[in-house]
Amino acid sequence: GWMAEQRARIQYIAKANDNLKLVTHFELDSRFGGIATGYKGTTGNDGGNLDADQLTLETKNIYLDINCPITGANIKAGIQPWADAYQSLFLLADMTGVYATKKFDPATVSLGWFRYDDNTPATGTQGPGDLTADLFILDGKFAINKNMTVGGSYYFSHDDTNKAAAGNPVAKVNMVGLNADLTFGPANIKPFVAYQFGE
């Protein structure tokens, strides 16, 4: 057999001024004819079904993009895309969090916190934020010249989403790495080395 599907993305940016804007990004996916077993976990909910009256609008990104006039830092807060400094070998995803970047020419430093999972039940003795997974990010880059940039980073993932079950430990993963972006004539080379450790 064969199948066809479509994907459309809608982006709207509300700009208050040069230092503040709201970025929204939505996505609509459908398989021609729909998906009988359900779309995004909801049975029969696919706009490709007969009559097409379904709910298929997805939230991809919604975040504030702020240029701080005092510190000169750029701050993004909300559901936003993030990619690691290692050609997305560690992570490339849309996540909820806060990410700040500050340029100290020729250096650039970024700090981030993302909460990528929260398994805390709606009822029970635990409140929101008790069973969570968080990613903390420190990234730095230094431009030696227009053709050579070197960088280093430290990522820390702390996951206690399963600690409620007896015997399930908290997962802690540290990652340190060095990377570079080198241009030699028509060639662009991005070497990197990274090491993970934890428990």
Side-chain angles (χ1 to χ4, degrees):
W2 62 278
M3 53 86 71
E5 63 181 0
Q6 69 180 37
R7 174 174 296 176
R9 288 183 174 170
I10 303 167
Q11 188 174 58
Y12 175 72
I13 299 174
K15 185 176 179 182
N17 53 50
D18 289 340
N19 292 324
L20 177 63
K21 61 185 176 181
L22 173 68
V23 178
T24 62
H25 200 174
F26 304 99
E27 187 172 294
L28 301 99
D29 300 332
S30 288
R31 181 188 294 179
F32 284 26
I35 301 174
T37 56
Y39 179 81
K40 302 297 182 189
T42 306
T43 302
N45 195 33
D46 188 321
N49 286 333
L50 186 64
D51 271 346
D53 297 329
Q54 310 295 335
L55 300 174
T56 56
L57 182 67
E58 306 167 31
T59 301
K60 187 164 180 62
N61 302 134
I62 298 180
Y63 62 91
L64 286 173
D65 190 330
I66 305 161
N67 292 318
C68 179
I70 299 171
T71 63
N74 175 261
I75 303 164
K76 293 179 174 66
I79 306 170
Q80 60 189 284
W82 182 78
D84 64 49
Y86 303 92
Q87 305 302 300
S88 306
L89 187 65
F90 177 70
L91 185 62
L92 168 63
D94 296 302
M95 299 183 290
T96 306
V98 180
Y99 195 72
T101 302
K102 169 73 173 158
K103 291 185 177 181
F104 306 89
D105 284 333
T108 303
V109 177
S110 298
L111 291 170
W113 163 73
F114 292 98
R115 174 151 289 171
Y116 61 90
D117 200 358
D118 189 337
N119 285 351
T120 311
T123 59
T125 58
Q126 293 169 312
D130 281 341
L131 303 175
T132 59
D134 298 289
L135 176 64
F136 300 91
I137 297 160
L138 171 60
D139 255 319
K141 292 191 181 300
F142 185 88
I144 298 171
N145 56 48
K146 67 176 185 177
N147 294 320
M148 300 179 68
T149 300
V150 295
S153 59
Y154 170 68
Y155 306 150
F156 175 62
S157 174
H158 183 273
D159 184 347
D160 62 9
T161 54
N162 292 317
K163 72 178 181 182
N168 285 343
V170 175
K172 299 176 185 178
V173 177
N174 299 273
M175 178 172 158
V176 292
L178 298 172
N179 56 78
D181 191 332
L182 312 172
T183 300
F184 301 100
N188 180 244
I189 303 169
K190 297 183 178 181
F192 63 84
V193 60
Y195 177 71
Q196 288 185 351
F197 59 97
E199 58 185 64

